[in-house]
Each structure stands twice: as structure tokens, then as C-alpha cells.
């Protein structure tokens, strides 16, 4: 089992920045990929950023160049630095950890609200 606790959400004006943190505990040695997803009201949950244990990252075009994901293995924590925030970035942001290789399991945090005002 993996437990994930997010922090760092809040209210920010358009153009501003926020940094989200996600601390993992439990069976952390089994974690391969960690990532951030978001879900806005009435929309499906979507990928925001992900990072492998080797440090490879992946971003959708909507956040590329504005968001940066990083991972501190010593602290078992993954971060999401969000710059140049836009109102359309408003959503609940969820931390994700994926374990396994051929058969994978997904673990989720409780979510943290990010609100960007125009």
C-alpha cells in the first residue's frame, strides 16, 4: 500500500505561481511513476505531469513550458511547480503513484484545490 498526502494548493491570481507537494509513505520502494492529475467541475480527470523513477517527464501541451514536475527520492516527495497560471488551470489536483510493471496499481491522494482568478 502507498499513501499520498498533497499540500500547497490555494487561490492565486492569473499569471501567478504555486508549488504543490506530494509526500509518499508505505511501500514506496515499489513506486515507478509518480504524477499529477487534475479534475475541473464537469470534466474528466486529466494528466498534468508525470515523472518516472529514472527522471523522465511527460507533460500535455496545455501545461508544457509552464509546469515542472520534480521528484526528491530522499524525501519520497514529488513536486509540481506551476508558473504563469491561467483561470483554466483551476481544478482539484491529485497526486498519483503507480507501482508494478506488467500489472500496475494506481494510488491517489485526497486532492488539493487550485483556484486561479482572472
Amino acid at each position: 500500500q502507498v499513501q499520498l498526502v498533497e499540500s500547497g494548493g490555494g487561490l492565486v491570481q492569473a499569471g501567478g505561481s504555486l508549488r504543490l507537494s506530494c509526500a509518499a509513505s508505505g511501500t514506496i520502494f515499489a513506486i515507478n511513476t509518480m504524477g499529477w492529475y487534475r479534475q475541473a467541475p464537469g470534466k474528466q480527470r486529466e494528466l498534468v505531469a508525470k515523472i518516472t523513477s529514472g527522471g523522465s517527464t511527460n507533460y500535455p501541451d496545455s501545461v508544457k513550458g509552464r509546469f515542472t514536475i520534480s521528484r526528491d527520492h530522499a524525501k519520497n516527495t514529488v513536486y509540481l511547480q506551476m508558473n504563469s497560471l491561467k483561470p483554466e488551470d483551476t481544478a482539484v489536483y491529485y497526486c498519483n503513484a503507480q507501482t508494478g510493471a506488467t500489472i500496475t496499481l494506481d494510488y491517489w491522494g485526497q486532492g488539493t484545490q487550485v483556484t486561479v482568478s482572472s
Side-chain angles (χ1 to χ4, degrees), residues 48-63:
V48 175
K50 63 181 179 180
I51 184 167
T52 68
S53 56
S56 298
T57 58
N58 186 31
Y59 306 91
D61 289 342
S62 58
V63 306

Side-chain angles (χ1 to χ4, degrees), residues 37-99:
Y37 290 71
R38 66 186 181 189
Q39 187 166 20
K43 294 188 177 182
Q44 289 188 332
R45 191 172 295 190
E46 62 177 1
L47 173 69
V48 175
K50 63 181 179 180
I51 184 167
T52 68
S53 56
S56 298
T57 58
N58 186 31
Y59 306 91
D61 289 342
S62 58
V63 306
K64 198 172 292 183
R66 300 189 298 122
F67 291 10
T68 302
I69 189 170
S70 59
R71 189 168 174 178
D72 187 331
H73 290 276
K75 295 183 178 180
N76 303 317
T77 300
V78 64
Y79 304 97
L80 183 67
Q81 178 66 43
M82 304 185 292
N83 298 328
S84 302
L85 283 160
K86 305 175 182 179
E88 51 263 43
D89 295 318
T90 296
V92 178
Y93 283 69
Y94 296 91
C95 180
N96 169 268
Q98 191 172 80
T99 63

